[in-house]
Amino acid sequence: MASFVRRRTISAIAVAAVTSMVMAPIITTATVSSLSASAFVLSDSSTTRKSYSRSTIIVHGSAVPSISSEEVRSRNLHQLERLRERDRHSAEVKREDLKIIFEDDHIVCVDKPSGVLCVPSEEGIPTMAKAVFDYVSHKQSSLDKMVVHRLGMDTSGLVVFAKTMEALRGLNTLFRTRQITRVYEVLVCGHVSKDAGTIDLPLMRDYEHPPFMRVSTDHHQQALLGLDPAIVGKKLLEPPKPSQTRYEVISRETLLDTDLPVSRLLLTSVTGRTHQLNVHCAAIGHPIVGDKVYGLNGDAAPNGGLEPQSSPGEMGTSTLELQRDIASCFDKRNMCAHAQKLSFQHPVFNSPLTFESKAPF
């Protein structure tokens, strides 16, 4: 498949090891005081990466949120129905279209195309899990017993499924203990200045744009104190989660047959939070090309929930005009995010496995 971009420069690629983190479940604590777009932590091999410390917020009386619990619930229900309607347009994967990267008696790794759900959101919707369950020989009684992780509908790339209960238990342990390295290839708006580093921004659920995510700040954490968990749900009120994404610039390019600048990155999800890569890229001023949720005019909070930068920061930034021009080119195209690499120990045999897949953009 032809590339969407013209490549300019290429740097070496390195994938760092992933380490686990522990956090205390206290809703009245927060990270990062008065966080703005210029306050995110970036580091490279020559600097020591700072981590966000958590301090207790002392509130006299209840914080008054900018939105009521009932309005949060109403917005959430409305958006969930929109997402369900979108899920119903998931493309069917036929037997001849199922691209198997690796298969043995216990696991199967497939290459999911963009536009296909990983797992069903309701009965009767075609999904990658259903295709694997129907077309691959296995010993599982239901497709949910094959699923150990998933990709977003718009994200293409590598997904592994368990063919036996032994493999299911082993893979669940590997994912839970972060012993699986996942590397994504993406195109982002604008030219990223630094060649490599770490984006370190805590994430929280967005009460203003539920059920999506945003960068956590003291202000938004305090607003949660005024919401009723019986109405909005306990999940929305979970404490902020430390989140780190390592990035490496593969090349700085131009989009399609234009002069619009984009960067091709490898992203390693260290912490594996929900929508982490999308939020982090948007928060540093370089949203993923084709991202209709966290990109320009998307359903989620703009800029990952942060104020936009007025001038280029440490990583540079893409202007709203540039993002608008890129969005117009990608109105009918898939998001440029691809799960390019999976590395882990076999859940049964304990042998090292690495799978790779070429990005379709």
Side-chain angles (χ1 to χ4, degrees):
M1 182 178 295
S3 173
F4 291 151
V5 295
R6 298 198 300 272
R7 305 193 179 195
R8 288 183 174 176
T9 61
I10 298 179
S11 62
I13 299 170
V15 179
V18 177
T19 58
S20 61
M21 298 185 65
V22 179
M23 53 176 273
I26 306 174
I27 190 60
T28 57
T29 64
T31 60
V32 192
S33 177
S34 303
L35 189 66
S36 66
S38 61
F40 57 79
V41 175
L42 292 168
S43 65
D44 55 28
S45 57
S46 63
T47 61
T48 301
R49 179 173 59 82
K50 294 185 288 183
S51 62
Y52 289 105
S53 61
R54 307 182 68 195
S55 57
T56 301
I57 300 171
I58 301 174
V59 180
H60 299 286
S62 298
V64 180
S66 58
I67 184 173
S68 70
S69 298
E70 290 77 11
E71 180 63 19
V72 172
R73 180 178 180 275
S74 176
R75 291 186 185 186
N76 186 52
L77 292 174
H78 174 71
Q79 187 61 53
L80 287 175
E81 181 52 41
R82 291 185 62 192
L83 292 173
R84 281 193 289 268
E85 178 58 33
R86 186 173 180 277
D87 289 351
R88 295 175 188 129
H89 293 86
S90 174
E92 182 178 1
V93 178
K94 298 180 180 179
R95 183 190 298 269
E96 60 269 23
D97 298 326
L98 186 62
K99 186 176 180 181
I100 297 177
I101 302 298
F102 173 85
E103 181 180 6
D104 65 9
D105 291 340
H106 293 279
I107 66 173
V108 57
C109 181
V110 300
D111 197 345
K112 184 187 86 70
S114 180
V116 178
L117 279 177
C118 257
V119 297
S121 57
E122 61 183 67
E123 191 174 350
I125 296 178
T127 64
M128 180 56 67
K130 184 67 164 61
V132 172
F133 185 79
D134 289 344
Y135 304 139
V136 174
S137 175
H138 59 83
K139 297 180 180 180
Q140 303 291 41
S141 58
S142 61
L143 67 82
D144 62 294
K145 292 181 179 179
M146 302 188 76
V147 177
V148 291
H149 71 124
R150 64 190 69 186
L151 297 178
M153 183 172 171
D154 290 336
T155 303
S156 59
L158 299 172
V159 186
V160 63
F161 293 92
K163 297 174 60 176
T164 64
M165 288 303 297
E166 187 178 5
L168 178 65
R169 289 189 290 269
L171 286 170
N172 280 336
T173 298
L174 291 173
F175 275 99
R176 185 176 64 253
T177 57
R178 297 177 187 166
Q179 295 182 61
I180 293 186
T181 300
R182 289 176 286 177
V183 180
Y184 297 79
E185 184 173 334
V186 301
L187 282 182
V188 299
C189 299
H191 282 167
V192 176
S193 300
K194 296 182 66 176
D195 290 337
T198 296
I199 304 168
D200 191 343
L201 289 170
L203 300 184
M204 63 181 286
R205 293 191 176 273
D206 192 345
Y207 62 93
E208 293 180 312
H209 301 83
F212 301 118
M213 307 295 291
R214 73 185 306 152
V215 174
S216 178
T217 67
D218 280 353
H219 169 74
H220 291 296
Q221 280 295 305
Q222 292 184 50
L224 295 181
L225 299 176
L227 298 176
D228 186 348
I231 298 175
V232 303
K234 293 181 179 179
K235 202 165 189 177
L236 185 90
L237 303 180
E238 290 176 347
K241 297 182 183 295
S243 306
Q244 295 84 34
T245 300
R246 293 194 179 102
Y247 73 91
E248 177 127 8
V249 177
I250 304 175
S251 57
R252 297 175 179 89
E253 312 169 1
T254 53
L255 185 67
L256 301 168
D257 295 323
T258 73
D259 291 326
L260 301 174
V262 293
S263 298
R264 185 176 295 269
L265 309 181
L266 285 186
L267 302 178
T268 300
S269 178
V270 178
T271 46
R273 308 302 184 195
T274 301
H275 300 174
Q276 174 181 314
L277 304 184
N278 305 70
V279 179
H280 275 178
C281 287
I284 62 172
H286 295 283
I288 297 174
V289 172
D291 188 344
K292 295 178 176 60
V293 175
Y294 292 95
L296 184 68
N297 298 324
D299 294 327
N303 305 297
L306 299 180
E307 292 297 321
Q309 292 174 267
S310 58
S311 60
E314 188 175 3
M315 281 186 67
T317 190
S318 58
T319 64
L320 292 181
E321 181 181 5
L322 172 61
Q323 294 178 36
R324 191 176 298 112
D325 290 342
I326 291 176
S328 66
C329 292
F330 259 72
D331 184 44
K332 303 298 182 182
R333 294 180 181 270
N334 296 325
M335 181 173 66
C336 293
H338 181 77
Q340 185 237 43
K341 184 177 181 180
L342 276 176
S343 296
F344 56 96
Q345 299 295 115
H346 194 286
V348 177
F349 305 124
N350 205 35
S351 54
L353 296 173
T354 296
F355 307 129
E356 295 189 17
S357 167
K358 185 177 180 180
F361 47 83

